[in-house]
Amino acid sequence: MKWIFRTLILSSIVCAMIQTTFANSHEFTTNEHIALPTLPEPVSNNAVASISVDDRVYLLSFMGLGKEKTHKDVHSKAFSLDLSGGTSKLNWRALPDVPASILPKGRLASVAIGINDTAYLFGGYTVDAKHNEISSPDNFSFDIRSQKYTPLANMAVPVDDAVAAAYKERFIYIISGWHNDGNVNLVQVYDTHEDTWRQATPFPGEGVFGHSGGIVNSSLIICDGVKVEWAGKSRRQFLPEPACFRGEIDHTSHLKITWRKIKHPTGKARYRMAAIGSQQHEGVFFYGGSNTPYNYNGIGYDGNPAAPSSALWFYDLSANQWTIETRDIASMDHRAALLIKNKEVDPYTDSKAFLVTVGGMQQNQTVTSAVNVIEID
């Protein structure tokens, strides 16, 4: 497919006409923009989700890292944005803090998924004053009507920096990720109807953390992240893993996945991209991230500061090919991207689709409150 991305300045609705053509793709024309308000405060590495409640669409942000980027800035705050009512009335609102069964209460690298009117939160890790990091066993569902969190069954292996994907509006796949001392290749599947966990066909690549991906119907696309290699008995290295896989969920058993490796778009891995699958576009979008694996403060494991990317990838599931674009704004340290349509903000506009990132890090590892809107239609 051909596609165009346009990163939008968060000010007012802007009208323009831009047309970009790419080889081997459909042509998208930009003629109307939307803008969304910034978060109440800067936050990065936050779990994000969108839900639909009584014909109102909400964007949600849970937990993450504040602007000073120390262990004291890891928090459990949550915010919501009701998209109804037009852009002049949009405003983020504080939600109750996310509960925790272990201390400290704040978490990084959690994942969230919205299914219909419910948001689901999984995993993440805590950081204490001595920089000890523990993968959290806490999982919750969130009801925005009651403003309440409900504990969910524990994962067999708690993970952070994983990828979450929802299937058939019931099953949530938690793919690979980090558990306390190392990566796992598990695909852990949560049943939202039964509050139970099962194991699906394992991820076939290197166990990774900070990878990204999305799902369309029964097709998963998972890319990149960081693998661990040991140099001697006690020294480990965190290395980028440039690898993409396509997984097809069996229609007769949601626990059976047929995985195959697919061509990588660039041959160079990115870490903590914002990604999401789009049924409308029949493919998966990947935005931003960094080529440098880094600790939670944005400094690389090799001691070099990480720089954000402005690249946007699209994997066309029917054509089995990539399209690559570069935009003006660079961003990294995301858990996922969200998709919205401008009709959800203003019912009198055409129905165009937009990719949204909430917070993250921009240049110089700056934690941001920006909500970037990228047109894909």
Side-chain angles (χ1 to χ4, degrees):
M1 296 178 67
K2 277 199 174 176
W3 45 273
I4 178 171
F5 293 88
R6 175 99 175 155
T7 301
L8 308 173
I9 305 301
L10 303 174
S11 54
S12 59
I13 297 179
V14 181
C15 293
M17 180 67 76
I18 296 172
Q19 182 170 308
T20 303
T21 303
F22 300 94
N24 304 315
S25 56
H26 293 285
E27 182 177 290
F28 289 175
T29 300
T30 302
N31 60 12
E32 194 165 36
H33 296 163
I34 65 170
L36 297 177
T38 60
L39 286 159
E41 60 186 69
V43 63
S44 192
N45 210 345
N46 46 322
V48 296
S50 63
I51 57 174
S52 179
V53 181
D54 301 328
D55 296 323
R56 303 168 79 98
V57 174
Y58 293 84
L59 306 187
L60 305 172
S61 172
F62 300 99
M63 303 174 285
L65 181 69
K67 65 179 181 179
E68 300 302 325
K69 299 178 295 185
T70 72
H71 73 277
K72 295 180 181 179
D73 300 291
V74 180
H75 62 72
S76 56
K77 298 175 185 178
F79 303 97
S80 70
L81 178 67
D82 181 353
L83 293 182
S84 63
T87 53
S88 63
K89 298 180 181 179
L90 295 183
N91 191 33
W92 288 89
R93 296 185 177 182
L95 299 172
D97 287 359
V98 179
S101 65
I102 61 175
L103 296 176
K105 292 184 177 181
R107 276 186 278 166
L108 298 173
S110 300
V111 288
I113 282 284
I115 298 180
N116 299 322
D117 61 355
T118 304
Y120 297 87
L121 309 174
F122 301 98
Y125 68 93
T126 63
V127 184
D128 65 16
K130 296 181 179 180
H131 304 290
N132 297 308
E133 301 177 359
I134 302 297
S135 299
S136 172
D138 290 337
N139 308 307
F140 296 95
S141 64
F142 177 72
D143 184 334
I144 200 165
R145 295 187 189 93
S146 65
Q147 304 275 290
K148 290 184 177 179
Y149 298 90
T150 300
L152 306 177
N154 290 340
M155 271 184 274
V157 180
V159 291
D160 54 74
D161 256 320
V163 168
Y167 176 60
K168 289 188 173 180
E169 297 184 341
R170 174 175 178 175
F171 302 106
I172 300 175
Y173 293 70
I174 307 297
I175 301 166
S176 199
W178 180 270
H179 171 70
N180 286 339
D181 299 311
N183 290 321
V184 301
N185 68 344
L186 302 175
V187 178
Q188 303 182 82
V189 184
Y190 178 72
D191 186 337
T192 62
H193 291 188
E194 303 292 337
D195 189 31
T196 57
W197 289 89
R198 301 280 300 278
Q199 299 293 325
T201 306
F203 183 63
E206 295 273 359
V208 285
F209 68 91
H211 47 309
S212 304
I215 186 170
V216 178
N217 298 321
S218 59
S219 299
L220 292 153
I221 302 295
I222 307 296
C223 281
D224 294 354
V226 175
K227 65 180 179 180
V228 179
E229 286 191 359
W230 292 88
K233 293 184 178 180
S234 59
R235 185 169 172 265
R236 61 186 181 186
Q237 294 179 302
F238 297 97
L239 303 175
E241 173 65 1
C244 294
F245 293 85
R246 178 169 179 165
E248 298 295 337
I249 301 171
D250 191 281
H251 294 293
T252 62
S253 171
H254 68 280
L255 299 177
K256 181 180 179 181
I257 305 173
T258 301
W259 293 99
R260 64 182 176 90
K261 195 170 186 178
I262 61 175
K263 181 181 178 180
H264 193 276
T266 65
K268 193 168 185 179
R270 301 217 313 266
Y271 178 60
R272 291 182 178 167
M273 293 181 282
I276 193 167
S278 171
Q279 187 168 356
Q280 175 182 342
H281 301 91
E282 298 182 8
V284 180
F285 294 96
F286 297 80
Y287 164 65
S290 177
N291 294 129
T292 300
Y294 55 86
N295 210 331
Y296 66 87
N297 60 1
I299 303 302
Y301 293 108
D302 59 3
N304 295 313
S309 171
S310 57
L312 298 119
W313 303 342
F314 174 74
Y315 184 80
D316 187 323
L317 286 161
S318 59
N320 296 312
Q321 65 182 18
W322 290 96
T323 309
I324 303 172
E325 238 278 305
T326 301
R327 303 315 307 158
D328 295 333
I329 294 179
S331 190
M332 68 184 198
D333 210 41
H334 298 291
R335 304 304 317 133
L338 302 175
L339 286 179
I340 65 170
K341 293 186 177 180
N342 57 352
K343 274 189 174 295
E344 294 165 346
V345 179
D346 185 346
Y348 299 105
T349 59
D350 294 333
S351 183
K352 292 184 176 295
F354 299 85
L355 183 148
V356 176
T357 62
V358 180
M361 288 186 189
Q362 296 183 339
Q363 297 292 346
N364 301 314
Q365 307 82 51
T366 302
V367 178
T368 182
S369 59
V371 179
N372 290 328
V373 185
I374 303 166
E375 187 168 347
I376 55 175
D377 217 12

